Amino acid sequence: MAKTVVVGLSGGVDSSVAAALLIEQGYNVIGLFMRNWDSTTNNDILGNPDIDDEICPQEVDYADALKVANKLKMPIFKVDFIQEYWDNVFTYFLDEYKKGRTPNPDILCNKYIKFDAFIEHALQYHPDFIAMGHYARVVHGEHPKMLRGVDDNKDQSYFLSQLTEKQLSQTLFPVGELTKQEVREIANKYDLATKDKKDSTGICFIGERDFKKFLSNYLPNKTGNMITLDGEIISKHSGLMYYTIGQRKGLGIGGSSRFGNEPWFVIGKNLNTNDLVVGQGFHHPTLYSDSCLVEDVNLINLNHFEGELKCTAKFRYRQKDNDVLIKFIGNNLFVTFKNDIRAITPGQAAVFYQGDVCLGGGFIKEAYKDKKVRKY
């Protein structure tokens, strides 16, 4: 008897091909489309009914998912996780910005929605596995492991670093062994409606929309000064929440006879004074750290080990691997870098690897240089 797989069919090419491959492999496949954001409902909660309700074109995505399901002759169902998304992802997103940090809600979406609420909902179909169109791999067994996707440019293990062994044991990643080009070729072979659909960018509730405009609907916008390390006012900023460490674009600071033409970058934030600290040069020394503290740690097949562990780490998506040493301090991980690293940003994820194996990760709490906290 064929095993049953419930696949998250998002209306994109990756999940479409994942479904096609599973059917090709002889599985009984059921599609499930997740609706995670509803502008009208969420705006009513906040008393903002006039906010643009076309932020996330989910109806277009559902129509595409339906076309794919019909083409593959598989059933598809629609489920709302709007409240779960609001409670576990969006409120976190807002809280992090209030703290002056730079959050990564996609990681929380995977942890709480796509691999938690989704799995719970899928149980009614009695599946043997659930599947997603992520570029990652799972080695099943007594202790499942997660590996990077074969396509280095598309690998999404960074965003899956908060998954548990239990979640991985129930999951298949059919496109993890493929490159993006191969996925497109398979979509064309099956003549799927999503074969030429461009990849989505940004997070669902913002999508292609203007980030500043969207965020200002939910958090008060407080302008302030852009200052140098010496306290000299250079310009005005439009709100600390709109800037991240190492950012150059959007500062609006040009060259001058006094400071020269070297570009300006964000090198710090002062929440108490509402000042954005800027400095010149991509390699401004204040941007570099030699260690950091990581909280909300989730390790995969790696218990609370003693001493130091040598591995590599990514502190941003698609960043090159960095050689590090990690050790526990209570429930947090202290991470020491082999070489200084630029723009270590509180709120962003730190994800650890040994070769292709993803060990899990956590979120940056503080960054340090010469044992002093970087005041970001």
Side-chain angles (χ1 to χ4, degrees), residues 254-279:
S256 68
S257 57
R258 180 172 183 185
F259 292 101
N261 294 320
E262 197 170 6
W264 293 85
F265 294 85
V266 175
I267 61 174
K269 299 179 182 181
N270 189 324
L271 292 176
N272 294 327
T273 61
N274 193 37
D275 291 327
L276 187 73
V277 186
V278 295

Side-chain angles (χ1 to χ4, degrees), residues 139-375:
V139 178
H140 291 102
E142 184 179 355
H143 299 290
K145 294 181 180 179
M146 181 166 63
L147 279 62
R148 307 175 200 252
V150 167
D151 190 332
D152 288 340
N153 191 50
K154 298 299 294 183
D155 169 47
Q156 292 174 296
S157 58
Y158 178 89
F159 297 110
L160 300 168
S161 56
Q162 286 285 311
L163 299 192
T164 65
E165 290 177 47
K166 182 179 179 182
Q167 289 170 321
L168 289 172
S169 71
Q170 301 169 285
T171 301
L172 301 175
F173 294 121
V175 303
E177 298 283 351
L178 304 174
T179 64
K180 186 71 179 191
Q181 180 179 344
E182 290 171 327
V183 166
R184 292 284 184 190
E185 289 170 356
I186 293 170
N188 274 278
K189 182 182 80 170
Y190 282 97
D191 192 27
L192 300 178
T194 55
K195 62 185 180 182
D196 298 317
K197 190 172 184 178
K198 70 175 184 177
D199 292 342
S200 60
T201 59
I203 47 183
C204 179
F205 51 81
I206 297 176
E208 307 290 342
R209 299 283 171 158
D210 182 273
F211 176 75
K212 285 188 176 182
K213 180 181 176 182
F214 174 83
L215 199 56
S216 66
N217 288 315
Y218 297 92
L219 294 176
N221 183 23
K222 187 178 179 182
T223 61
N225 293 323
M226 289 187 191
I227 65 170
T228 66
L229 283 173
D230 296 327
E232 185 167 351
I233 298 174
I234 300 296
S235 185
K236 294 286 185 179
H237 67 75
S238 54
L240 292 181
M241 59 189 173
Y242 300 134
Y243 304 88
T244 190
I245 302 305
Q247 177 179 331
R248 175 185 177 183
K249 186 178 179 181
L251 297 185
I253 310 174
S256 68
S257 57
R258 180 172 183 185
F259 292 101
N261 294 320
E262 197 170 6
W264 293 85
F265 294 85
V266 175
I267 61 174
K269 299 179 182 181
N270 189 324
L271 292 176
N272 294 327
T273 61
N274 193 37
D275 291 327
L276 187 73
V277 186
V278 295
Q280 287 180 288
F282 182 87
H283 294 294
H284 193 289
T286 302
L287 285 173
Y288 283 83
S289 304
D290 55 26
S291 55
C292 69
L293 190 66
V294 174
E295 59 185 353
D296 298 327
V297 175
N298 172 71
L299 295 181
I300 306 167
N301 285 317
L302 194 62
N303 295 325
H304 196 115
F305 56 87
E306 298 295 330
E308 292 185 321
L309 179 70
K310 185 177 181 180
C311 59
T312 63
K314 290 181 183 292
F315 300 96
R316 293 176 187 268
Y317 180 49
R318 287 181 176 155
Q319 184 185 50
K320 71 177 182 66
D321 280 35
N322 299 276
D323 291 323
V324 299
L325 289 173
I326 60 175
K327 66 177 181 180
F328 274 103
I329 298 180
N331 292 321
N332 296 334
L333 282 175
F334 188 79
V335 187
T336 304
F337 315 150
K338 181 178 180 180
N339 300 303
D340 287 3
I341 301 175
R342 183 182 183 274
I344 296 294
T345 306
Q348 286 286 293
V351 180
F352 307 107
Y353 298 87
Q354 283 187 328
D356 275 348
V357 178
C358 178
L359 304 176
F363 296 94
I364 301 165
K365 182 178 182 179
E366 291 179 332
Y368 308 96
K369 176 65 176 176
D370 298 329
K371 299 182 180 180
K372 295 180 180 178
V373 178
R374 285 296 194 203
K375 297 294 185 181

Side-chain angles (χ1 to χ4, degrees), residues 19-79:
L21 290 172
L22 291 166
I23 292 172
E24 191 177 272
Q25 293 163 14
Y27 289 102
N28 172 39
V29 180
I30 299 169
L32 196 60
F33 179 87
M34 289 172 278
R35 185 168 175 263
N36 298 330
W37 182 262
D38 178 73
S39 296
T40 303
T41 300
N42 290 335
N43 294 337
D44 285 346
I45 291 173
L46 293 175
N48 295 323
D50 297 327
I51 296 175
D52 188 346
D53 63 357
E54 296 181 0
I55 293 170
C56 188
Q58 290 186 88
E59 292 308 312
V60 174
D61 291 336
Y62 178 64
D64 288 339
L66 190 59
K67 291 175 186 176
V68 169
N70 290 336
K71 181 76 173 182
L72 297 174
K73 295 180 172 58
M74 57 178 280
I76 183 173
F77 302 94
K78 192 176 184 180
V79 59

